[in-house]
Amino acid sequence: SIGLPALTSCAGKRRKRRIVLYFTATGNSLYVARQLAEPEGELLSIPQMVKQNRYEFEADEIGIVYPIYGMPPNMVRNFIREARLKAEYKFAVLTYGARKCDAAEIWNDLSAKAGNAFDYIATLVMVDNWLPNFDMNEQGKMDKRIPENLRRIAGEISRRRHWLEPVSEEERQMHAGFMAFSGLDPEVGFLKRSERYFTVTDACIGCGACTSVCPTGAIIVEDRDGFRITEITGTIVRKQPLQVCSCCG
C-alpha cells in the first residue's frame, strides 16, 4: 500500500466509498489500481464488468485505470460509452511505458462526449514490460520514480484535486504521426479478433476453464452430437469425440 488516508469523516457521517475500475494487460495498471483502491475502496475489472453486462456504478469517488495503447483500449472505449458513473468525484490514471503522447486529452474528450466527464486525469510512467518490444534488463536499470509519482497522484486524488494533465504540441504531433503510420481508425483503435490470435492445440482436454476467465465471454465449450466443441466468437476451433462410459452410459 502507498498509505492513502483513511476515507473517513466526522463522527456520525457516512464513510466515503471509492470504486476503482481497471483494465490491465501486463499487470502495471492492476498494480496501480490496487494501490488507489486501498484501504477502503472496491476494485473492479472492466472486462469482468463487461462480461456481467454491468455498466451502472455509484460511489463517492469513481476511478478508472488503464494502459495507453496510443489511445484507450477498445474495450475501455466502449465501456465508458455505455457506463453510467454516478459520483461526486471521478478520476483517471493512464499508465504507459515509453510514450504518453496526448492520451490525457483523448480520454478527456472521449469521456466528456460519453457523458462521463472526469475531474482529474493524469498519466503515470511504469516499467515497459511488453516483452516483444522492450528489454526487461534495460528497463530494470531505469529509475522512473514510480513509487514517488504514484504517491503524488494518490495524494492529489485524496485531496480531490481538479486537474487535466497538460499536453504539449509536440506530444500531439507525436500521436498524429503514430496514427498516420499505424493506419488505425481513431474511433476504434486496436481491435483484434480472438479467433485470429488464439490457438487451440492438441494439449487442450476440453475442460472449459478458459470459458470462466475469458473477459468477454467469447469462448464457448459445449457437448453436441457426441462431440465436445470449443468455439471462439462463433468459430469452431476444436472438436473432440466424447468418451462414454460403457457401464453407466
Side-chain angles (χ1 to χ4, degrees):
S1 171
I2 53 179
L4 289 177
L7 297 178
T8 55
S9 55
C10 298
K13 290 188 178 181
R14 180 172 58 91
R15 181 187 295 273
K16 295 179 183 177
R17 177 168 173 256
R18 176 183 292 180
I19 291 175
V20 179
L21 296 147
Y22 72 92
F23 179 99
T24 193
T26 62
N28 278 335
S29 292
L30 174 57
Y31 171 79
V32 173
R34 282 174 172 164
Q35 303 306 307
L36 297 178
E38 293 182 354
E40 302 293 341
E42 183 178 8
L43 189 64
L44 299 174
S45 161
I46 289 176
Q48 289 299 321
M49 296 301 98
V50 171
K51 185 176 182 179
Q52 297 170 20
N53 197 34
R54 181 180 170 189
Y55 291 97
E56 295 188 7
F57 304 88
E58 183 174 357
D60 295 299
E61 301 171 347
I62 295 179
I64 284 184
V65 182
Y66 70 83
I68 298 168
Y69 295 159
M71 59 186 66
N74 187 264
M75 181 177 288
V76 176
R77 177 190 296 266
N78 291 335
F79 176 80
I80 199 63
R81 286 170 173 163
E82 296 291 330
R84 296 294 176 264
L85 309 180
K86 186 176 181 181
E88 299 170 4
Y89 182 76
K90 294 193 283 289
F91 62 89
V93 178
L94 322 180
T95 66
Y96 69 100
R99 298 179 182 86
K100 60 178 180 175
C101 297
D102 55 347
E105 284 186 346
I106 292 174
W107 181 252
N108 186 53
D109 293 342
L110 179 64
S111 59
K113 288 178 181 177
N116 287 310
F118 279 66
D119 304 292
Y120 178 92
I121 303 175
T123 64
L124 176 62
V125 64
M126 300 289 288
V127 172
D128 205 323
N129 52 5
W130 192 53
L131 299 182
N133 268 25
F134 296 92
D135 185 336
M136 286 304 298
N137 291 325
E138 291 301 316
Q139 285 289 312
K141 298 175 184 177
M142 300 179 187
D143 182 11
K144 296 187 174 182
R145 303 179 63 83
I146 296 170
E148 298 94 325
N149 290 330
L150 185 49
R151 279 195 295 269
R152 172 183 55 79
I153 289 173
E156 290 174 345
I157 292 171
S158 292
R159 296 191 297 274
R160 293 195 177 185
R161 181 184 183 189
H162 285 67
W163 188 65
L164 169 63
E165 183 172 296
V167 174
S168 68
E169 185 57 34
E170 180 182 3
E171 288 173 326
R172 295 188 188 97
Q173 291 303 316
M174 189 181 299
H175 177 72
F178 165 76
M179 294 300 293
F181 173 78
S182 65
L184 292 172
D185 182 343
E187 293 301 315
V188 177
F190 289 101
L191 179 61
K192 294 184 177 182
R193 301 288 294 182
S194 59
E195 69 270 19
R196 299 175 187 170
Y197 300 90
F198 184 86
T199 302
V200 180
T201 70
D202 289 339
C204 171
I205 61 172
C207 68
C210 54
T211 64
S212 63
V213 297
C214 177
T216 61
I219 305 175
I220 296 174
V221 176
E222 61 182 4
D223 297 339
R224 296 201 305 261
D225 302 324
F227 290 89
R228 175 152 295 182
I229 297 172
T230 303
E231 294 183 359
I232 302 179
T233 58
T235 300
I236 296 177
V237 295
R238 187 156 174 77
K239 190 174 182 179
Q240 300 160 283
L242 293 172
Q243 301 297 320
V244 180
C245 174
S246 59
C247 294
C248 63

